[in-house]
Each structure stands twice: as structure tokens, then as C-alpha cells.
Amino acid sequence: MSVIVVQGYYPLKGEVEIQGSKNAVLPMMAAAILHKGTTVLKHVPMIQDVFCMMGILESMGCVCRFCDHTLTVDAGELTCTGVSKERGRAMRSSIIVLGALLGRCGEADVYYPGGCSIGSRPIDLHLAALRQMGAVIREEGEALRACTRGLKGTDITLSYPSVGATENVILAAVRASGITVLRGAAREPEIDALCRMLSSMGVRIGGIGTSVLKIQGTKDLADAEYQVPGDRIVAGTYLSAVIAAGGEALLRNASPGQLACVLNIMREMGARIAVSGDAVRISMDGRPRAVSIETSPYPGFPTDLQSMALVLLSVGRGKGYLKETVFEGRFATAKELHKMGAEIIIEGTEACVTGKGFLKGAGVRACDLRGGAALAVAGLAAEGETRITDCGHIVRGYEDICGDLQHLGGIIRREL
Ligand code: UD1
């Protein structure tokens, strides 16, 4: 999928089922490595990052079957404890297999990961924590050669609640001897989901949902089946589409409990939102009100919805402010929005957006996964046609963004 074409300025109306969460399923797939048996994941999104992680698991000797959104991973026999440079660079989450491989096999050869270009994405916290657990890690250029005579549970404090570092420590701790206490852990719902999945495999984890996790190492893991939760960022994307274009929609499996901060901001912008179980009903008349938003780790406003927020402030009325505190390079989409008539002034990590009430269709480029999706949202709110190129980024995380937005009444299609 290289080009998405959107005809905008029509209000939306419809219903959509939200896909399984990308950021939840990837560490769960890495967790399957820990178990000499079978792990079944349900409601798995059919996205590029999942296919990429499947490739990584298969290259290690895992047998994967992916059918009808159910992924079965048999990690009975591992034949390789490394990830090739090409596979490692293809996605950020490739680094998550480091902790799992060290735990299961005592060695791992991986590469500095790739992924979206949204800022420098170091892994110093991952490496420091794993070293504290007894891993010896040599960095040779982009390659990382890790080994251990056995990981040991210990007391670790993360200086920043990195999602990936938290996942790596949890996965390493599962097979370490003794108890690992992780302080300053990320509290993102995807960490919760990983802990609950591991619990269903027989791992004892205390403090789930808090910033202090206690993981009891074990060799006794059981076959398990786990349902991947709905993707809160995809839900946030489609809610943003309704606010930008106006209209009404029902989103099912939208994990509203994980979107509390986002829903509050959207209400402040003027959206009417009702939650019922896992469903969210939204309606919007008129232009969004200008607000101030600051991204931060969960439970704050997610950095992954920052580009959508730029769109909403751009089609709104008045001056809105947005501060990015997680990834410094995440304002790349602003340059594309300028082509659509947006007035965004960026100084360092802060953006001042003067809402004009409308955008104009234009030719734009998807700079990263969420930025690309935000341009589709902008296109739905813009007068005329918007053509988004480089849409390969979007399929990394959205199973069928055009189909979903069509369900909501959007005039959007992809051109191959
Ligand atoms: C994950 C998500 C991503 C989301 C991000 C923050 C996945 C696959 N990706 O990315 O969608 O935007 O969380 O919610 O789940 N940092 C360091 N050193 C480290 C690790 C991180 O300095 O060792 C910094 C990063 O540069 C960044 C911040 O910490 O500024 C957040 O990164 P982190 O929470 O680790 O994000 P990811 O796990 O990469």
C-alpha cells in the first residue's frame, strides 16, 4: 500500500470493531519464546509488525500458525538464538526478544533495533537492567552479543518508565532465579496485558498495574491461550477522525478504560462521548475547541496520539498548545500538515497551533506510522482530495485503516 487517497469534508457516521493491540501483541509474541510449548494468542491484528515478529520467531525455530486472527506459537525447539540484522532493523520491538532469549537460552545475538523515525531511540535502560541481572553484553557496532551463566532476580530501578525496557526486564525475570523487583516500571496497559498473559502461563507477578513489579522466576511455564486487548491507539485514531470531520460513530472493543485521559481531552474539545462496556459512542458538531495537551507516559496523553492531536487543533478554532515530552522527533507530521493549510509553530518540544477551522486537501507524505494515520484523519476533514504517499509505515500498525474509515462513512481508498 503506497498511496491513500481521501475525499474530505463529509461528516462520518458508522460503526467499527477495533483491531487487537499492536503494542500488546508484540511483547506477548516474544514471551512465547520463554515457554518450551505452545502459546495461543487470539484477536491478533494482521499487521506488518506482527508478520515481522513472526519472521523473527520462525528464524529461531519456532513454529507459527496464523489463521483468522489466532496465532499459535510452538517454541518447543529453538534452533537459533539470534536475530538477523535485516529483521532486527525492520522493527523497534525486535529488541524485546533479548530478555526472553537470555532467559530461555542464556545467550542472544541481536542488533540495535529500527522502527519509526520519531527521535533517537536508545536502549541504554534495557541493557543496564539486563546487565544488573547478570547478563554480559558486548556492543560491536550495531550488533549486541549477550550471554549469561544464569540470570538472577535482583532489585532494579528504571530512571525513566520506558515501555520497552520494562518489557525486557519482565521477560528476562520470568526465567531468572529468585525474585526480580522492578521499580519505576512503565504502567502502560500493554505492560498489564503482558503480565496477565504471563500469569496465565503460571508466572507469579505482583504489583500489576503499578510502577513496582515483583516477578518470581520459574522454569515451570504452561501452555496458555490469551486474548489480545483492543488497540487503544487505533481507537484514538478513529475517535479523532470523528472529531475532525464531525458526525457520529460507535467503536466496539475500544478499551475505553485505557483512554480516560484522551476521552477527557476530547470532551474538552466539544465531543460528546458515552462509554458502555468496551464500546465508545462519540458524536461531534462544529469545530473542536482549542485546548492544551502534554504527552506523557501512561496514564497521561499518549505520544502515539500526538499527531492526531495536531490535526484536531489545526481544524479547531483558536490557539491550542501541544508539548511533546516522550519522543523529541515526533513533530515531523507538522510539516505535512502545513501543506494542507495548518498553522503550526514549533519551538523545541512545543507546538503552538492556530486553528483555522478547516484544512485543504494536498499531496502529503506519511513520515511515520502514527503520523501517517493522522494525515488520513486530516484528509477526512479537509476540503478536496488528499493523497498520502509512503503509506508503508501505516500498515505496520493498522490492519485496514481505509476499510475501517469506510465503515465510518469516510471516502478513502488505497491505490497500489
Ligand atoms: C513504546 C511503544 C511506542 C510508544 C512508546 C511510548 C511499542 C512497540 N512501542 O515504544 O508506540 O510511543 O512506547 O509510549 O510498544 N528511552 C531511553 N533509553 C532506553 C529506552 C527508552 O532513553 O533504554 C527513552 C526513549 O528515547 C524515549 C522514551 O524513553 O524518549 C520512551 O521510550 P520507550 O517507553 O522505551 O518507548 P518504546 O518501548 O520504544
Side-chain angles (χ1 to χ4, degrees), residues 22-23 26-27 92-93 118 120-126 160-165 167 188 190 232 303-304 325-328 330 370:
K22 169 178 93 69
N23 289 356
L26 296 173
R92 171 77 183 168
S93 285
I118 54 176
S120 75
R121 297 182 78 171
I123 51 168
D124 53 315
L125 301 174
H126 302 231
Y160 181 89
S162 154
V163 174
E167 291 164 349
E188 265 66 5
E190 293 76 25
R232 64 191 170 108
T303 175
D304 285 355
T325 74
V326 183
F327 287 113
E328 73 280 10
R330 214 160 203 172
R370 304 302 174 188

PDB file of all heavy atoms in Angstrom, residues 22-23 26-27 92-93 118 120-126 160-165 167 188 190 232 303-304 325-328 330 370, ligand 1:
ATOM      1  N   LYS A  22      -1.384  -3.644  18.689  1.00  0.00           N
ATOM      2  CA  LYS A  22      -0.021  -3.911  18.193  1.00  0.00           C
ATOM      3  C   LYS A  22       0.979  -3.945  19.346  1.00  0.00           C
ATOM      4  O   LYS A  22       1.760  -4.875  19.480  1.00  0.00           O
ATOM      5  CB  LYS A  22       0.394  -2.804  17.203  1.00  0.00           C
ATOM      6  CG  LYS A  22       1.867  -2.834  16.837  1.00  0.00           C
ATOM      7  CD  LYS A  22       2.241  -1.761  15.831  1.00  0.00           C
ATOM      8  CE  LYS A  22       2.738  -0.476  16.429  1.00  0.00           C
ATOM      9  NZ  LYS A  22       4.050  -0.534  17.085  1.00  0.00           N
ATOM     10  N   ASN A  23       0.933  -2.904  20.176  1.00  0.00           N
ATOM     11  CA  ASN A  23       1.959  -2.809  21.216  1.00  0.00           C
ATOM     12  C   ASN A  23       1.785  -3.850  22.315  1.00  0.00           C
ATOM     13  O   ASN A  23       2.712  -4.109  23.077  1.00  0.00           O
ATOM     14  CB  ASN A  23       1.979  -1.399  21.814  1.00  0.00           C
ATOM     15  CG  ASN A  23       2.546  -0.383  20.835  1.00  0.00           C
ATOM     16  OD1 ASN A  23       2.989  -0.742  19.751  1.00  0.00           O
ATOM     17  ND2 ASN A  23       2.521   0.894  21.205  1.00  0.00           N
ATOM     18  N   LEU A  26       3.055  -7.668  20.430  1.00  0.00           N
ATOM     19  CA  LEU A  26       4.472  -7.910  20.100  1.00  0.00           C
ATOM     20  C   LEU A  26       5.258  -8.478  21.294  1.00  0.00           C
ATOM     21  O   LEU A  26       5.935  -9.507  21.148  1.00  0.00           O
ATOM     22  CB  LEU A  26       5.119  -6.645  19.532  1.00  0.00           C
ATOM     23  CG  LEU A  26       4.509  -6.187  18.194  1.00  0.00           C
ATOM     24  CD1 LEU A  26       5.089  -4.831  17.772  1.00  0.00           C
ATOM     25  CD2 LEU A  26       4.743  -7.227  17.093  1.00  0.00           C
ATOM     26  N   PRO A  27       5.171  -7.866  22.487  1.00  0.00           N
ATOM     27  CA  PRO A  27       5.867  -8.497  23.623  1.00  0.00           C
ATOM     28  C   PRO A  27       5.279  -9.857  24.007  1.00  0.00           C
ATOM     29  O   PRO A  27       6.003 -10.726  24.505  1.00  0.00           O
ATOM     30  CB  PRO A  27       5.712  -7.478  24.764  1.00  0.00           C
ATOM     31  CG  PRO A  27       4.672  -6.519  24.335  1.00  0.00           C
ATOM     32  CD  PRO A  27       4.629  -6.541  22.843  1.00  0.00           C
ATOM     33  N   ARG A  92      11.251  -1.844  15.812  1.00  0.00           N
ATOM     34  CA  ARG A  92      11.732  -1.477  17.134  1.00  0.00           C
ATOM     35  C   ARG A  92      11.609  -2.650  18.125  1.00  0.00           C
ATOM     36  O   ARG A  92      12.505  -2.898  18.938  1.00  0.00           O
ATOM     37  CB  ARG A  92      10.905  -0.288  17.618  1.00  0.00           C
ATOM     38  CG  ARG A  92      11.108   0.120  19.052  1.00  0.00           C
ATOM     39  CD  ARG A  92      12.376   0.893  19.229  1.00  0.00           C
ATOM     40  NE  ARG A  92      12.603   1.230  20.630  1.00  0.00           N
ATOM     41  CZ  ARG A  92      13.741   1.713  21.106  1.00  0.00           C
ATOM     42  NH1 ARG A  92      14.743   1.926  20.294  1.00  0.00           N
ATOM     43  NH2 ARG A  92      13.878   1.990  22.372  1.00  0.00           N
ATOM     44  N   SER A  93      10.500  -3.374  18.049  1.00  0.00           N
ATOM     45  CA  SER A  93      10.234  -4.403  19.052  1.00  0.00           C
ATOM     46  C   SER A  93      11.139  -5.615  18.937  1.00  0.00           C
ATOM     47  O   SER A  93      11.065  -6.509  19.777  1.00  0.00           O
ATOM     48  CB  SER A  93       8.777  -4.851  18.976  1.00  0.00           C
ATOM     49  OG  SER A  93       7.976  -3.863  19.536  1.00  0.00           O
ATOM     50  N   ILE A 118      11.125   8.652  14.963  1.00  0.00           N
ATOM     51  CA  ILE A 118      10.430   9.689  15.737  1.00  0.00           C
ATOM     52  C   ILE A 118      11.341  10.263  16.808  1.00  0.00           C
ATOM     53  O   ILE A 118      10.896  10.834  17.786  1.00  0.00           O
ATOM     54  CB  ILE A 118       9.137   9.131  16.380  1.00  0.00           C
ATOM     55  CG1 ILE A 118       9.447   7.872  17.198  1.00  0.00           C
ATOM     56  CG2 ILE A 118       8.090   8.851  15.340  1.00  0.00           C
ATOM     57  CD1 ILE A 118       8.247   7.314  17.934  1.00  0.00           C
ATOM     58  N   SER A 120      15.693   9.894  18.582  1.00  0.00           N
ATOM     59  CA  SER A 120      16.715   8.887  18.878  1.00  0.00           C
ATOM     60  C   SER A 120      16.070   7.896  19.841  1.00  0.00           C
ATOM     61  O   SER A 120      15.379   8.289  20.756  1.00  0.00           O
ATOM     62  CB  SER A 120      17.920   9.552  19.523  1.00  0.00           C
ATOM     63  OG  SER A 120      17.625   9.883  20.853  1.00  0.00           O
ATOM     64  N   ARG A 121      16.235   6.634  19.597  1.00  0.00           N
ATOM     65  CA  ARG A 121      15.566   5.667  20.464  1.00  0.00           C
ATOM     66  C   ARG A 121      16.617   4.751  21.089  1.00  0.00           C
ATOM     67  O   ARG A 121      16.794   3.613  20.667  1.00  0.00           O
ATOM     68  CB  ARG A 121      14.492   4.902  19.675  1.00  0.00           C
ATOM     69  CG  ARG A 121      13.393   5.837  19.185  1.00  0.00           C
ATOM     70  CD  ARG A 121      12.298   5.133  18.447  1.00  0.00           C
ATOM     71  NE  ARG A 121      11.363   4.454  19.321  1.00  0.00           N
ATOM     72  CZ  ARG A 121      10.221   3.920  18.884  1.00  0.00           C
ATOM     73  NH1 ARG A 121       9.906   3.986  17.625  1.00  0.00           N
ATOM     74  NH2 ARG A 121       9.417   3.315  19.719  1.00  0.00           N
ATOM     75  N   PRO A 122      17.313   5.254  22.104  1.00  0.00           N
ATOM     76  CA  PRO A 122      18.368   4.455  22.720  1.00  0.00           C
ATOM     77  C   PRO A 122      17.803   3.261  23.486  1.00  0.00           C
ATOM     78  O   PRO A 122      16.601   3.228  23.779  1.00  0.00           O
ATOM     79  CB  PRO A 122      19.031   5.448  23.683  1.00  0.00           C
ATOM     80  CG  PRO A 122      18.014   6.492  23.964  1.00  0.00           C
ATOM     81  CD  PRO A 122      17.128   6.560  22.760  1.00  0.00           C
ATOM     82  N   ILE A 123      18.669   2.301  23.803  1.00  0.00           N
ATOM     83  CA  ILE A 123      18.225   1.144  24.587  1.00  0.00           C
ATOM     84  C   ILE A 123      19.113   0.962  25.818  1.00  0.00           C
ATOM     85  O   ILE A 123      19.249  -0.129  26.340  1.00  0.00           O
ATOM     86  CB  ILE A 123      18.207  -0.153  23.724  1.00  0.00           C
ATOM     87  CG1 ILE A 123      19.553  -0.335  23.004  1.00  0.00           C
ATOM     88  CG2 ILE A 123      17.056  -0.144  22.744  1.00  0.00           C
ATOM     89  CD1 ILE A 123      19.705  -1.719  22.383  1.00  0.00           C
ATOM     90  N   ASP A 124      19.732   2.083  26.246  1.00  0.00           N
ATOM     91  CA  ASP A 124      20.641   2.006  27.397  1.00  0.00           C
ATOM     92  C   ASP A 124      19.949   1.457  28.652  1.00  0.00           C
ATOM     93  O   ASP A 124      20.553   0.698  29.414  1.00  0.00           O
ATOM     94  CB  ASP A 124      21.237   3.401  27.675  1.00  0.00           C
ATOM     95  CG  ASP A 124      20.168   4.475  27.833  1.00  0.00           C
ATOM     96  OD1 ASP A 124      19.225   4.507  27.007  1.00  0.00           O
ATOM     97  OD2 ASP A 124      20.252   5.273  28.776  1.00  0.00           O
ATOM     98  N   LEU A 125      18.676   1.792  28.851  1.00  0.00           N
ATOM     99  CA  LEU A 125      17.980   1.323  30.060  1.00  0.00           C
ATOM    100  C   LEU A 125      17.758  -0.186  29.999  1.00  0.00           C
ATOM    101  O   LEU A 125      17.889  -0.884  31.012  1.00  0.00           O
ATOM    102  CB  LEU A 125      16.638   2.047  30.223  1.00  0.00           C
ATOM    103  CG  LEU A 125      16.715   3.575  30.343  1.00  0.00           C
ATOM    104  CD1 LEU A 125      15.327   4.190  30.345  1.00  0.00           C
ATOM    105  CD2 LEU A 125      17.468   3.961  31.618  1.00  0.00           C
ATOM    106  N   HIS A 126      17.451  -0.691  28.786  1.00  0.00           N
ATOM    107  CA  HIS A 126      17.284  -2.144  28.620  1.00  0.00           C
ATOM    108  C   HIS A 126      18.590  -2.844  29.020  1.00  0.00           C
ATOM    109  O   HIS A 126      18.590  -3.796  29.799  1.00  0.00           O
ATOM    110  CB  HIS A 126      17.037  -2.530  27.156  1.00  0.00           C
ATOM    111  CG  HIS A 126      15.846  -1.900  26.503  1.00  0.00           C
ATOM    112  ND1 HIS A 126      14.894  -2.641  25.829  1.00  0.00           N
ATOM    113  CD2 HIS A 126      15.447  -0.606  26.370  1.00  0.00           C
ATOM    114  CE1 HIS A 126      13.981  -1.837  25.318  1.00  0.00           C
ATOM    115  NE2 HIS A 126      14.301  -0.601  25.620  1.00  0.00           N
ATOM    116  N   TYR A 160      13.655   6.058  33.995  1.00  0.00           N
ATOM    117  CA  TYR A 160      12.530   6.575  33.205  1.00  0.00           C
ATOM    118  C   TYR A 160      11.636   5.354  32.919  1.00  0.00           C
ATOM    119  O   TYR A 160      12.161   4.265  32.645  1.00  0.00           O
ATOM    120  CB  TYR A 160      13.046   7.187  31.891  1.00  0.00           C
ATOM    121  CG  TYR A 160      11.943   7.762  31.033  1.00  0.00           C
ATOM    122  CD1 TYR A 160      11.532   9.082  31.194  1.00  0.00           C
ATOM    123  CD2 TYR A 160      11.286   6.967  30.090  1.00  0.00           C
ATOM    124  CE1 TYR A 160      10.498   9.598  30.424  1.00  0.00           C
ATOM    125  CE2 TYR A 160      10.248   7.481  29.325  1.00  0.00           C
ATOM    126  CZ  TYR A 160       9.853   8.802  29.495  1.00  0.00           C
ATOM    127  OH  TYR A 160       8.824   9.308  28.747  1.00  0.00           O
ATOM    128  N   PRO A 161      10.319   5.530  32.965  1.00  0.00           N
ATOM    129  CA  PRO A 161       9.442   4.358  32.778  1.00  0.00           C
ATOM    130  C   PRO A 161       9.359   3.930  31.308  1.00  0.00           C
ATOM    131  O   PRO A 161       8.310   4.039  30.672  1.00  0.00           O
ATOM    132  CB  PRO A 161       8.089   4.848  33.304  1.00  0.00           C
ATOM    133  CG  PRO A 161       8.109   6.325  33.080  1.00  0.00           C
ATOM    134  CD  PRO A 161       9.543   6.763  33.245  1.00  0.00           C
ATOM    135  N   SER A 162      10.467   3.454  30.772  1.00  0.00           N
ATOM    136  CA  SER A 162      10.499   3.004  29.371  1.00  0.00           C
ATOM    137  C   SER A 162       9.639   1.748  29.216  1.00  0.00           C
ATOM    138  O   SER A 162       9.793   0.776  29.973  1.00  0.00           O
ATOM    139  CB  SER A 162      11.952   2.701  28.975  1.00  0.00           C
ATOM    140  OG  SER A 162      11.989   1.751  27.923  1.00  0.00           O
ATOM    141  N   VAL A 163       8.772   1.785  28.218  1.00  0.00           N
ATOM    142  CA  VAL A 163       7.889   0.647  27.966  1.00  0.00           C
ATOM    143  C   VAL A 163       8.724  -0.572  27.564  1.00  0.00           C
ATOM    144  O   VAL A 163       8.596  -1.661  28.123  1.00  0.00           O
ATOM    145  CB  VAL A 163       6.865   1.000  26.849  1.00  0.00           C
ATOM    146  CG1 VAL A 163       6.036  -0.209  26.455  1.00  0.00           C
ATOM    147  CG2 VAL A 163       5.975   2.144  27.307  1.00  0.00           C
ATOM    148  N   GLY A 164       9.602  -0.377  26.587  1.00  0.00           N
ATOM    149  CA  GLY A 164      10.399  -1.494  26.080  1.00  0.00           C
ATOM    150  C   GLY A 164      11.327  -2.068  27.147  1.00  0.00           C
ATOM    151  O   GLY A 164      11.457  -3.291  27.271  1.00  0.00           O
ATOM    152  N   ALA A 165      11.973  -1.189  27.943  1.00  0.00           N
ATOM    153  CA  ALA A 165      12.883  -1.693  28.979  1.00  0.00           C
ATOM    154  C   ALA A 165      12.100  -2.469  30.029  1.00  0.00           C
ATOM    155  O   ALA A 165      12.549  -3.522  30.507  1.00  0.00           O
ATOM    156  CB  ALA A 165      13.641  -0.529  29.622  1.00  0.00           C
ATOM    157  N   GLU A 167       9.391  -4.165  29.526  1.00  0.00           N
ATOM    158  CA  GLU A 167       9.042  -5.471  28.933  1.00  0.00           C
ATOM    159  C   GLU A 167      10.254  -6.406  28.917  1.00  0.00           C
ATOM    160  O   GLU A 167      10.141  -7.591  29.237  1.00  0.00           O
ATOM    161  CB  GLU A 167       8.495  -5.259  27.514  1.00  0.00           C
ATOM    162  CG  GLU A 167       7.131  -4.586  27.537  1.00  0.00           C
ATOM    163  CD  GLU A 167       6.685  -4.001  26.205  1.00  0.00           C
ATOM    164  OE1 GLU A 167       7.500  -3.915  25.266  1.00  0.00           O
ATOM    165  OE2 GLU A 167       5.514  -3.602  26.108  1.00  0.00           O
ATOM    166  N   GLU A 188       1.955   1.360  31.210  1.00  0.00           N
ATOM    167  CA  GLU A 188       1.093   1.302  30.025  1.00  0.00           C
ATOM    168  C   GLU A 188       0.223   0.034  30.086  1.00  0.00           C
ATOM    169  O   GLU A 188       0.677  -1.005  30.589  1.00  0.00           O
ATOM    170  CB  GLU A 188       1.968   1.273  28.765  1.00  0.00           C
ATOM    171  CG  GLU A 188       2.223   2.627  28.117  1.00  0.00           C
ATOM    172  CD  GLU A 188       3.050   3.589  28.973  1.00  0.00           C
ATOM    173  OE1 GLU A 188       3.526   3.192  30.053  1.00  0.00           O
ATOM    174  OE2 GLU A 188       3.210   4.753  28.571  1.00  0.00           O
ATOM    175  N   GLU A 190      -0.337  -2.054  27.977  1.00  0.00           N
ATOM    176  CA  GLU A 190       0.281  -3.184  27.271  1.00  0.00           C
ATOM    177  C   GLU A 190       1.183  -3.979  28.224  1.00  0.00           C
ATOM    178  O   GLU A 190       1.383  -5.178  28.045  1.00  0.00           O
ATOM    179  CB  GLU A 190       1.096  -2.671  26.074  1.00  0.00           C
ATOM    180  CG  GLU A 190       0.239  -2.048  24.965  1.00  0.00           C
ATOM    181  CD  GLU A 190      -0.276  -0.645  25.271  1.00  0.00           C
ATOM    182  OE1 GLU A 190       0.358   0.061  26.079  1.00  0.00           O
ATOM    183  OE2 GLU A 190      -1.331  -0.255  24.715  1.00  0.00           O
ATOM    184  N   ARG A 232      -5.808   0.656  21.809  1.00  0.00           N
ATOM    185  CA  ARG A 232      -6.286   1.973  22.275  1.00  0.00           C
ATOM    186  C   ARG A 232      -5.837   3.093  21.329  1.00  0.00           C
ATOM    187  O   ARG A 232      -6.507   4.119  21.213  1.00  0.00           O
ATOM    188  CB  ARG A 232      -5.811   2.248  23.710  1.00  0.00           C
ATOM    189  CG  ARG A 232      -4.305   2.356  23.850  1.00  0.00           C
ATOM    190  CD  ARG A 232      -3.845   2.360  25.299  1.00  0.00           C
ATOM    191  NE  ARG A 232      -2.399   2.223  25.367  1.00  0.00           N
ATOM    192  CZ  ARG A 232      -1.557   3.190  25.705  1.00  0.00           C
ATOM    193  NH1 ARG A 232      -2.021   4.377  26.036  1.00  0.00           N
ATOM    194  NH2 ARG A 232      -0.261   2.989  25.738  1.00  0.00           N
ATOM    195  N   THR A 303       1.872   9.697  23.550  1.00  0.00           N
ATOM    196  CA  THR A 303       2.642  10.293  22.457  1.00  0.00           C
ATOM    197  C   THR A 303       2.195   9.734  21.107  1.00  0.00           C
ATOM    198  O   THR A 303       2.279  10.413  20.086  1.00  0.00           O
ATOM    199  CB  THR A 303       4.160  10.074  22.675  1.00  0.00           C
ATOM    200  OG1 THR A 303       4.863  10.552  21.547  1.00  0.00           O
ATOM    201  CG2 THR A 303       4.507   8.611  22.876  1.00  0.00           C
ATOM    202  N   ASP A 304       1.688   8.505  21.094  1.00  0.00           N
ATOM    203  CA  ASP A 304       1.243   7.910  19.829  1.00  0.00           C
ATOM    204  C   ASP A 304       0.007   8.606  19.253  1.00  0.00           C
ATOM    205  O   ASP A 304      -0.357   8.356  18.102  1.00  0.00           O
ATOM    206  CB  ASP A 304       0.950   6.410  20.021  1.00  0.00           C
ATOM    207  CG  ASP A 304       2.240   5.601  20.130  1.00  0.00           C
ATOM    208  OD1 ASP A 304       3.325   6.177  19.965  1.00  0.00           O
ATOM    209  OD2 ASP A 304       2.155   4.384  20.377  1.00  0.00           O
ATOM    210  N   THR A 325       6.662  15.304  25.371  1.00  0.00           N
ATOM    211  CA  THR A 325       7.694  15.045  26.389  1.00  0.00           C
ATOM    212  C   THR A 325       8.327  13.665  26.248  1.00  0.00           C
ATOM    213  O   THR A 325       9.201  13.314  27.026  1.00  0.00           O
ATOM    214  CB  THR A 325       7.122  15.170  27.830  1.00  0.00           C
ATOM    215  OG1 THR A 325       6.317  14.024  28.092  1.00  0.00           O
ATOM    216  CG2 THR A 325       6.312  16.431  28.028  1.00  0.00           C
ATOM    217  N   VAL A 326       7.863  12.868  25.267  1.00  0.00           N
ATOM    218  CA  VAL A 326       8.381  11.484  25.190  1.00  0.00           C
ATOM    219  C   VAL A 326       9.383  11.301  24.049  1.00  0.00           C
ATOM    220  O   VAL A 326      10.507  10.845  24.266  1.00  0.00           O
ATOM    221  CB  VAL A 326       7.216  10.469  25.068  1.00  0.00           C
ATOM    222  CG1 VAL A 326       7.760   9.039  25.057  1.00  0.00           C
ATOM    223  CG2 VAL A 326       6.221  10.645  26.204  1.00  0.00           C
ATOM    224  N   PHE A 327       8.993  11.650  22.819  1.00  0.00           N
ATOM    225  CA  PHE A 327       9.896  11.498  21.664  1.00  0.00           C
ATOM    226  C   PHE A 327      10.121  12.855  21.006  1.00  0.00           C
ATOM    227  O   PHE A 327       9.180  13.450  20.469  1.00  0.00           O
ATOM    228  CB  PHE A 327       9.304  10.533  20.630  1.00  0.00           C
ATOM    229  CG  PHE A 327       9.342   9.098  21.063  1.00  0.00           C
ATOM    230  CD1 PHE A 327       8.174   8.420  21.329  1.00  0.00           C
ATOM    231  CD2 PHE A 327      10.549   8.431  21.205  1.00  0.00           C
ATOM    232  CE1 PHE A 327       8.203   7.090  21.727  1.00  0.00           C
ATOM    233  CE2 PHE A 327      10.595   7.114  21.604  1.00  0.00           C
ATOM    234  CZ  PHE A 327       9.419   6.436  21.868  1.00  0.00           C
ATOM    235  N   GLU A 328      11.367  13.294  20.991  1.00  0.00           N
ATOM    236  CA  GLU A 328      11.652  14.650  20.528  1.00  0.00           C
ATOM    237  C   GLU A 328      11.398  14.848  19.029  1.00  0.00           C
ATOM    238  O   GLU A 328      11.130  15.945  18.583  1.00  0.00           O
ATOM    239  CB  GLU A 328      13.094  15.055  20.891  1.00  0.00           C
ATOM    240  CG  GLU A 328      14.197  14.402  20.070  1.00  0.00           C
ATOM    241  CD  GLU A 328      14.560  12.975  20.503  1.00  0.00           C
ATOM    242  OE1 GLU A 328      13.841  12.381  21.329  1.00  0.00           O
ATOM    243  OE2 GLU A 328      15.539  12.464  19.975  1.00  0.00           O
ATOM    244  N   ARG A 330       8.946  13.871  17.129  1.00  0.00           N
ATOM    245  CA  ARG A 330       7.626  13.455  16.686  1.00  0.00           C
ATOM    246  C   ARG A 330       6.808  14.544  16.003  1.00  0.00           C
ATOM    247  O   ARG A 330       5.616  14.360  15.757  1.00  0.00           O
ATOM    248  CB  ARG A 330       6.854  12.890  17.869  1.00  0.00           C
ATOM    249  CG  ARG A 330       5.965  11.787  17.404  1.00  0.00           C
ATOM    250  CD  ARG A 330       5.511  10.855  18.435  1.00  0.00           C
ATOM    251  NE  ARG A 330       5.153   9.596  17.775  1.00  0.00           N
ATOM    252  CZ  ARG A 330       4.846   8.499  18.389  1.00  0.00           C
ATOM    253  NH1 ARG A 330       4.873   8.453  19.683  1.00  0.00           N
ATOM    254  NH2 ARG A 330       4.520   7.421  17.712  1.00  0.00           N
ATOM    255  N   ARG A 370       2.162   6.600  13.112  1.00  0.00           N
ATOM    256  CA  ARG A 370       1.014   7.355  13.634  1.00  0.00           C
ATOM    257  C   ARG A 370       0.828   8.675  12.881  1.00  0.00           C
ATOM    258  O   ARG A 370      -0.295   9.140  12.702  1.00  0.00           O
ATOM    259  CB  ARG A 370       1.189   7.625  15.130  1.00  0.00           C
ATOM    260  CG  ARG A 370       1.404   6.370  15.969  1.00  0.00           C
ATOM    261  CD  ARG A 370       0.278   5.363  15.845  1.00  0.00           C
ATOM    262  NE  ARG A 370       0.592   4.114  16.546  1.00  0.00           N
ATOM    263  CZ  ARG A 370      -0.139   3.012  16.468  1.00  0.00           C
ATOM    264  NH1 ARG A 370      -1.226   2.961  15.712  1.00  0.00           N
ATOM    265  NH2 ARG A 370       0.213   1.932  17.127  1.00  0.00           N
TER     266      ARG A 370
HETATM  267  C1  UD1 B   1       6.738   2.006  23.098  1.00  0.00           C
HETATM  268  C2  UD1 B   1       5.696   1.877  22.010  1.00  0.00           C
HETATM  269  C3  UD1 B   1       5.522   3.189  21.266  1.00  0.00           C
HETATM  270  C4  UD1 B   1       5.220   4.308  22.243  1.00  0.00           C
HETATM  271  C5  UD1 B   1       6.253   4.347  23.354  1.00  0.00           C
HETATM  272  C6  UD1 B   1       5.918   5.357  24.450  1.00  0.00           C
HETATM  273  C7  UD1 B   1       5.827  -0.447  21.346  1.00  0.00           C
HETATM  274  C8  UD1 B   1       6.165  -1.416  20.286  1.00  0.00           C
HETATM  275  N1  UD1 B   1       6.097   0.844  21.088  1.00  0.00           N
HETATM  276  O1  UD1 B   1       7.972   2.305  22.455  1.00  0.00           O
HETATM  277  O2  UD1 B   1       4.442   3.037  20.351  1.00  0.00           O
HETATM  278  O3  UD1 B   1       5.231   5.542  21.559  1.00  0.00           O
HETATM  279  O4  UD1 B   1       6.357   3.057  23.988  1.00  0.00           O
HETATM  280  O5  UD1 B   1       4.654   5.124  24.955  1.00  0.00           O
HETATM  281  O6  UD1 B   1       5.287  -0.793  22.382  1.00  0.00           O
HETATM  282  N2  UD1 B   1      14.473   5.674  26.292  1.00  0.00           N
HETATM  283  C9  UD1 B   1      15.795   5.819  26.667  1.00  0.00           C
HETATM  284  N3  UD1 B   1      16.522   4.694  26.890  1.00  0.00           N
HETATM  285  C10 UD1 B   1      16.004   3.441  26.772  1.00  0.00           C
HETATM  286  C11 UD1 B   1      14.659   3.318  26.383  1.00  0.00           C
HETATM  287  C12 UD1 B   1      13.911   4.449  26.141  1.00  0.00           C
HETATM  288  O7  UD1 B   1      16.306   6.928  26.786  1.00  0.00           O
HETATM  289  O8  UD1 B   1      16.714   2.467  27.002  1.00  0.00           O
HETATM  290  C13 UD1 B   1      13.666   6.889  26.000  1.00  0.00           C
HETATM  291  C14 UD1 B   1      13.249   6.966  24.523  1.00  0.00           C
HETATM  292  O9  UD1 B   1      14.256   7.553  23.752  1.00  0.00           O
HETATM  293  C15 UD1 B   1      12.009   7.806  24.594  1.00  0.00           C
HETATM  294  C16 UD1 B   1      11.386   7.380  25.933  1.00  0.00           C
HETATM  295  O10 UD1 B   1      12.428   6.785  26.681  1.00  0.00           O
HETATM  296  O11 UD1 B   1      12.347   9.166  24.661  1.00  0.00           O
HETATM  297  C17 UD1 B   1      10.229   6.414  25.776  1.00  0.00           C
HETATM  298  O12 UD1 B   1      10.668   5.238  25.175  1.00  0.00           O
HETATM  299  P1  UD1 B   1      10.010   3.822  25.480  1.00  0.00           P
HETATM  300  O13 UD1 B   1       8.976   3.968  26.544  1.00  0.00           O
HETATM  301  O14 UD1 B   1      11.116   2.849  25.711  1.00  0.00           O
HETATM  302  O15 UD1 B   1       9.294   3.509  24.123  1.00  0.00           O
HETATM  303  P2  UD1 B   1       9.341   2.183  23.262  1.00  0.00           P
HETATM  304  O16 UD1 B   1       9.280   0.999  24.152  1.00  0.00           O
HETATM  305  O17 UD1 B   1      10.432   2.289  22.268  1.00  0.00           O
END
